Amino acid sequence: MTTKVALQRFEETAAHYIHELDQFSLEQLRQKQSENEWSIGQMFQHLISSALYMQLRNLDQCLMPSQDPTVPGTEKTEVGVAIFSQGSFPPTRIHVPPSPQYTPEQPESKEQLIQGLHTVIQRMKDIEPTLEKVSKKHTVSHPRFGGLCAEEWFLLVEMHYRHHLLQLDRLKQELVREAT
């Protein structure tokens, strides 16, 4: 998938998330099914912060050849190769135990989530035109996928947002079940 196509798909997915927010009150966005589950709002917070503070930050590191972020021997893992050849994450649930470092905060407002999504959209639109000139030799390691170049970090944002649509659907169904 080209970065232009990925950007278009990302914008469509992000717009879908923004539209989905219309149907929830802040109370519903903060509602958790159990202590080990995220709320819908926390899932949104995760999407925003992982894009801004992990994926796009690592992409930015790939754009600085003078600081050569390449670590010798950092190649994609088998999982990384599979994810990028498929163009998506497998439709399986990934459960990370709650922890202060990983568990997202509850949102303060819907506006916070909408603004966060718009910030990610704008960053993606600003970055995409620069990617064709960037060397694929400059990589930053992902904990599971290995060394990723700027273009791959960019594509990862789109794949990650698309993957969480499954979680959003599941959380919405649980919210409806609980309301009845």
Side-chain angles (χ1 to χ4, degrees):
M1 174 183 339
T2 68
T3 58
K4 286 187 187 339
V5 170
L7 177 60
Q8 180 183 349
R9 287 175 90 180
F10 170 76
E11 287 182 274
E12 290 166 2
T13 303
H16 175 76
Y17 280 119
I18 292 168
H19 177 73
E20 286 285 317
L21 282 169
D22 289 342
Q23 66 186 298
F24 303 112
S25 67
L26 183 58
E27 181 182 313
Q28 289 172 317
L29 287 171
R30 291 178 172 173
Q31 191 171 333
K32 293 172 64 165
Q33 307 308 313
S34 74
E35 276 307 304
N36 293 331
E37 293 283 334
W38 287 353
S39 67
I40 293 171
Q42 286 175 297
M43 187 206 73
F44 275 82
Q45 293 278 61
H46 166 72
L47 287 171
I48 295 162
S49 62
S50 62
L52 293 176
Y53 305 115
M54 189 240 202
Q55 295 147 350
L56 295 176
R57 190 193 66 180
N58 287 337
L59 184 156
D60 287 340
Q61 289 180 24
C62 294
L63 300 177
M64 296 186 258
S66 61
Q67 296 180 354
D68 195 3
T70 306
V71 177
T74 303
E75 295 185 20
K76 260 195 244 43
T77 62
E78 282 184 41
V79 173
V81 170
I83 295 292
F84 283 94
S85 65
Q86 293 169 12
S88 66
F89 295 164
T92 55
R93 211 171 149 186
I94 300 166
H95 185 77
V96 177
S99 71
Q101 307 90 310
Y102 189 75
T103 304
E105 294 291 320
Q106 290 283 13
E108 294 174 20
S109 66
K110 271 196 207 187
E111 293 74 26
Q112 174 193 20
L113 299 175
I114 292 166
Q115 182 57 49
L117 289 166
H118 281 297
T119 300
V120 177
I121 292 166
Q122 191 57 54
R123 287 268 293 136
M124 293 286 282
K125 287 165 88 170
D126 292 345
I127 289 169
E128 192 280 328
T130 69
L131 294 174
E132 66 184 340
K133 301 175 190 127
V134 179
S135 170
K136 292 187 184 342
K137 292 179 185 175
H138 298 286
T139 63
V140 173
S141 189
H142 181 281
R144 280 196 71 213
F145 306 146
L148 304 180
C149 67
E151 181 179 313
E152 291 165 328
W153 282 108
F154 184 86
L155 297 173
L156 189 62
V157 175
E158 187 277 329
M159 286 190 271
H160 187 229
Y161 271 60
R162 194 166 14 105
H163 176 72
H164 275 279
L165 289 170
L166 298 170
Q167 182 181 15
L168 178 59
D169 286 343
R170 183 178 51 77
L171 291 173
K172 281 172 40 180
Q173 288 172 7
E174 290 173 6
L175 202 59
V176 167
R177 256 194 307 268
E178 197 168 285
T180 56

